[in-house]
Amino acid sequence: MSELKKIKEEQLKQIKEHQLKINASLMDLGFLESKKFEVMSIHSQNIKEMEEIKKDLEAEYGPININLEDGSYTEQEIKE
């Protein structure tokens, strides 16, 4: 039977520490990817809601450009 060969304890410790760091960063990446999907979903919903608001405003005022500072608006020129 041959003798069991091992690396030094300090080397094994370094490998284990770095493996833990790699695993932690992979978990962080997974969390960030999940958070990215959540934010993209919220963003998409906000765009849909804004489009509904625009439709309602256009139905009431016609095509307009709104000043977001004070709420004033100008009518858009309709090109034929």
Side-chain angles (χ1 to χ4, degrees):
M1 198 186 307
S2 65
E3 178 183 331
L4 183 63
K5 297 179 182 179
K6 291 185 175 184
I7 61 174
K8 296 175 185 168
E9 282 296 319
E10 184 60 32
Q11 293 169 326
L12 180 59
K13 181 181 174 186
Q14 285 179 326
I15 290 172
K16 287 181 176 181
E17 287 174 358
H18 280 79
Q19 188 61 52
L20 287 173
K21 290 177 183 179
I22 289 169
N23 290 345
S25 64
L26 286 173
M27 285 181 57
D28 288 346
L29 285 170
F31 171 77
L32 290 171
E33 191 64 30
S34 173
K35 190 67 176 171
K36 174 184 160 186
F37 179 77
E38 179 185 338
V39 171
M40 288 174 64
S41 177
I42 291 168
H43 177 69
S44 178
Q45 183 61 36
N46 286 334
I47 289 173
K48 287 178 186 175
E49 290 172 6
M50 179 65 88
E51 291 302 318
E52 287 298 317
I53 293 169
K54 286 179 180 180
K55 282 183 196 176
D56 292 344
L57 289 170
E58 189 166 330
E60 186 171 343
Y61 297 100
I64 59 173
N65 292 316
I66 301 171
N67 179 329
L68 297 179
E69 294 295 319
D70 63 10
S72 63
Y73 69 89
T74 56
E75 295 178 1
Q76 292 180 2
E77 289 184 26
I78 301 175
K79 296 180 181 178
E80 294 181 25

